[in-house]
């Protein structure tokens, strides 16, 4: 990549697009011009890569979310010009870090969307022919700010300063038809730049637009109003990302979003197939593999059948077989109640032809089951339509060739519980693909200091594309000179984070303290509430002298709560009230600080994971499918304080139990409690210290601003039984409480022995190799998609 040319072109774009000279340009201007200059440099290899994808067998990743974050730094890194561009900026009196002002593309809620982004990065780097399809939301995940301790939301107008990393392709627009409207789907393509290769993958995001153009001949006010309404109604479909997976709100629009991007993508895929292979669809599945990221794109299955039977002359049964061979489904949820279902009448109202096809598929499936003489209960369990509801996971199971869980323990739970009947039917369809993260963004880019140390010790930067190399660093686990260097780097990253927090949130961590970090979507199952209660417990312990010599710790939280999720928002308020209580207490304030950082997103995560000493991964065993935040923190040298849940299990397996802080009930123990009349009140009432902590919620110690939400939180643990729940404390906070606090305090004591603790952190880095998304993607490519790397001339 020719860096000087890029810099020259940057100035050309500044002048031609923005009418500015270098010394007049602000961060947004520079970002625009630099991005455009790079886009023009990569145009050729991008085009060539996509032709190669089409020439052979290739795969698509369909996902309602792609949490890509900020592209510029990652792209500079992958093109191998980061240092050079940084240098050239300096020569011109500019600082490359000023581009941190540029907003993230937050087109996802959390882990599921970030996973999709990491996967595309890995596939591009490995030269694998994988492209993504999703939705170009006008507004991404809301922006969060904190007022009086409460979360407030504003719209994420992420394209306000343009979107230089997308190319709109009007010539590839297609129509998508609903019962009550037809809209135009217009694709925007984003390049996914492979690291150290010419290869560039594609992320195609669809935007909904109106099909009608305004007719001036018939101008009148009424006509004008109607046409504006129609335009808005079309654009509504890709207007907002749904921040909540679990409410009834806007269900119809959400269904429209799913069908919208699935139909547009499949029309696009079919068009490309015909251009390359003609009209013989018997070979469609030979060339195309489509991965469905959770159930959001599962409506693709009947849509492919519809497109093939309606427009391509394929017979129904054969179309279903083609779909089954083409699709594979990734499950991300354990809890049966979280599996997506659509009301039949809603489907009929929105996409009647699709419902008809689902019904036919369902009948076909039931016929097969009768022929196999399956009993009625079994058929009832696996059928796609029951009690007027369409079960999308069941449709996915029947309509694909593979299903995978996202961590070993998760896949076992799927086989044993969630999808057990399907496992009886088709054991060969089940695979595990433990999630991963890209080390380009989550180490090479966000932690250049640690990266430099690793590269120096290994004598090579091969780890950037082969993370298993890190294992070779184990020999330094007791080398005090290396541990000192590592510790100094960690210190530097902590200082950098502290400065950013001060600027961004007005509070910095305690100097020299342990950085104990919990960052993830706010949800009861992730148990930020338990973390908050443990801090209160330690606070009272320090005050009454039962906890001595507590090593100063800053507890950092970052999380967004879905706007309609009251308890989650209550937990944010609680964390902020605890922060205030402690800050106002001269006896404890130099020992504990609590900071809730606002607007947690990918760019904030990059800084937080680099600075963490402790990674809080404390979900109730059996609730977190995998987690990927745990992997990012491990890779940057934090120890895990966590439960035996999701990928934590494999983290322990890789790094060794002695290098993590594991507590709490196992999946089996929690299951036993579930079946054995669990009474959290008894734990609360039996331990005065726990009782004191819980009572702080309701005795006036903590102030919820008159909302009553702290009482509600208290009740959810002690008294009130939620509808359909057999016991309060659904996520077993009381059950795990003592073990959690004991383990947290043990960690706190261990931290005093610097080398012993640093050694544990180091062992985490050395053993993070398995958690590269390169490993995950290679496994998908070999065992699900059956695709090979493309080869350039
Ligand atoms: C990695 C990541 C997540 C997922 O975190 P978990 O701890 O696995 O839930 C969520 N949000 C952002 C911004 C991330 O980068």
């Amino acid at each position: 990549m020719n860096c000087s040319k890029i810099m020259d072109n940057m100035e050309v774009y500044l002048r031609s697009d923005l009418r500015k000279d270098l010394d007049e340009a602000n961060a947004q201007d520079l970002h625009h011009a630099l991005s455009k200059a790079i886009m023009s440099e990569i145009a050729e290899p991008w085009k060539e890569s996509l032709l190669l994808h089409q020439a052979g067998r290739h795969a698509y990743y369909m996902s309602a979310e792609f949490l890509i974050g900020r592209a510029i730094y990652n792209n500079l890194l992958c093109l191998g010009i980061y240092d050079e561009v940084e240098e050239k900026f300096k020569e011109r009196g500019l600082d490359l870090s000023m581009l941190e002002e540029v907003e993230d593309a937050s087109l996802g809620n959390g882990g599921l969307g970030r996973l999709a982004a990491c996967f595309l990065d890995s596939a591009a780097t490995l030269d694998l022919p994988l492209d993504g399809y999703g939705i170009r939301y006008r507004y991404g995940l809301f922006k969060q700010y904190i007022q009086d301790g409460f979360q407030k939301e504003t719209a994420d107008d992420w394209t306000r300063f343009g979107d230089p990393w997308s190319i709109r392709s009007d010539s590839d627009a297609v129509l998508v038809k609903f019962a009550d409207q037809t809209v135009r789907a217009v694709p925007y393509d984003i390049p996914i730049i492979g690291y150290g290769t010419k290869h560039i993958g594609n992320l195609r995001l669809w935007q909904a637009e109106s099909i009608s153009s305004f007719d001036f001949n018939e101008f009148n006010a009424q006509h004008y109003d109607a046409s504006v309404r129609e335009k808005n109604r079309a654009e509504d479909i890709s207007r907002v990302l749904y921040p909540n997976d679990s409410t009834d709100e806007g269900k119809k629009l959400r269904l429209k979003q799913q069908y919208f991007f699935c139909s547009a993508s499949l029309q696009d895929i079919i068009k490309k197939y015909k251009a390359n292979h003609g009209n013989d669809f018997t070979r469609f599945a030979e060339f195309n593999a489509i991965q469905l990221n959770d159930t959001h794109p599962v409506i693709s299955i009947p849509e492919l059948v519809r497109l093939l039977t309606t427009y391509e002359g394929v017979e129904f049964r054969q179309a279903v077989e083609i779909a089954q061979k083409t699709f594979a489904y990734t499950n991300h949820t354990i809890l049966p109640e979280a599996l997506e279902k659509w009301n039949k009448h809603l489907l009929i109202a929105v996409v009647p032809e699709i419902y008809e096809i689902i019904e036919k598929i369902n009948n076909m499936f039931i016929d097969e089951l009768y022929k196999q003489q399956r009993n009625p209960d079994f058929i009832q369990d696996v059928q796609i339509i029951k009690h007027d509801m369409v079960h999308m996971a069941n449709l996915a199971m029947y309509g694909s060739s593979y299903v995978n869980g996202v961590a070993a323990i998760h896949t076992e739970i799927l086989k044993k519980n969630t999808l057990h009947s399907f496992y009886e039917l088709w054991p060969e369809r089940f695979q595990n693909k433990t999630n991963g993260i890209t080390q380009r963004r989550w180490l090479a880019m966000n932690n250049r200091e640690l990266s430099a140390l690793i590269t120096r010790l290994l004598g090579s930067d091969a780890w950037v594309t082969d993370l298993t190399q890190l294992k070779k660093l184990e020999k330094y686990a007791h080398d005090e000179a290396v541990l000192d260097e590592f510790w100094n780097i960690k210190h530097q990253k902590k200082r950098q984070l502290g400065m950013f927090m001060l600027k961004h949130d007005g509070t910095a961590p305690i100097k020299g303290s342990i950085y104990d970090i919990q960052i993830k979507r706010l949800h009861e199952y992730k148990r930020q509430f338990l973390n908050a209660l443990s801090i209160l417990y330690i606070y009272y312990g320090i005050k009454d002298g039962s906890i001595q010599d507590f090593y100063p710790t800053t507890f950092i939280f970052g999380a967004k709560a879905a706007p309609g999720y009251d308890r989650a928002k209550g937990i944010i308020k609680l964390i902020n009230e605890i922060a205030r209580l402690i800050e106002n207490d001269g006896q404890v304030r130099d020992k504990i600080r609590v900071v809730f950082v606002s607007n947690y997103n990918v760019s904030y995560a990059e800084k937080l994971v680099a600075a963490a000493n402790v990674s809080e991964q404390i979900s109730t065993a059996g609730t977190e499918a995998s987690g990927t935040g745990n992997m990012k923190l491990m890779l940057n040298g934090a120890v895990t304080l966590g439960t035996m849940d999701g990928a934590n299990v494999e983290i322990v397996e890789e790094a060794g139990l002695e290098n993590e802080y594991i507590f709490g009930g196992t999946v089996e123990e929690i299951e036993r409690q579930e079946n054995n009349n669990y009474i959290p009140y008894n734990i609360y009432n039996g331990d005065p210290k726990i009782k004191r902590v819980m009572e702080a919620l309701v005795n006036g110690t903590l102030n919820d601003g008159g909302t009553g939400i702290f009482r509600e939180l208290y009740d959810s643990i002690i008294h009130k039984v939620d509808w359909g729940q057999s016991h309060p404390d659904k996520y077993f906070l009381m059950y795990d409480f003592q073990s959690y606090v004991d383990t947290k305090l043990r960690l706190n004591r261990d931290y005093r022995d610097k080398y012993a603790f640093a050694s544990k952190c180091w062992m985490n880095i050395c053993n993070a190799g398995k958690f590269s998304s390169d490993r995950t993607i290679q496994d998908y490519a070999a065992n699900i998609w059956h695709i090979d790397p493309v080869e350039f001339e």
Side-chain angles (χ1 to χ4, degrees), residues 67 104 106 108-115 118 141 435 437 441-442 518-521 525-526 558 600-606 609 615-617 624 626-633:
L67 193 49
D104 279 25
S106 292
N109 283 298
L112 176 146
R114 183 55 232 174
L115 183 75
C118 282
L141 185 58
N435 282 165
I437 55 164
R441 183 176 290 261
W442 297 109
Q518 187 173 21
I519 42 175
K520 47 186 78 254
R521 279 178 304 129
Y525 88 79
K526 292 177 180 279
Y600 172 61
N601 61 9
V602 171
S603 290
Y604 218 144
E606 289 162 10
V609 300
S615 161
E616 297 257 6
Q617 307 299 337
E624 186 76 271
S626 164
T628 49
N630 46 5
M631 302 168 185
K632 301 167 194 165
L633 285 146

Side-chain angles (χ1 to χ4, degrees), residues 251 255 340-349 355 358-359 362 380 383-392:
K251 265 211 151 62
L255 174 61
E340 196 172 40
K341 301 172 201 66
W342 289 109
N343 188 292
K344 149 186 173 175
H345 301 291
L346 180 64
L347 278 161
I348 292 169
Y355 180 73
I358 294 174
E359 209 165 40
N362 189 44
Q380 172 67 23
Q383 67 189 359
I384 297 162
I385 307 172
K386 31 189 169 180
H387 309 300
D388 282 359
M389 299 300 278
V390 175
H391 291 240
M392 299 309 273

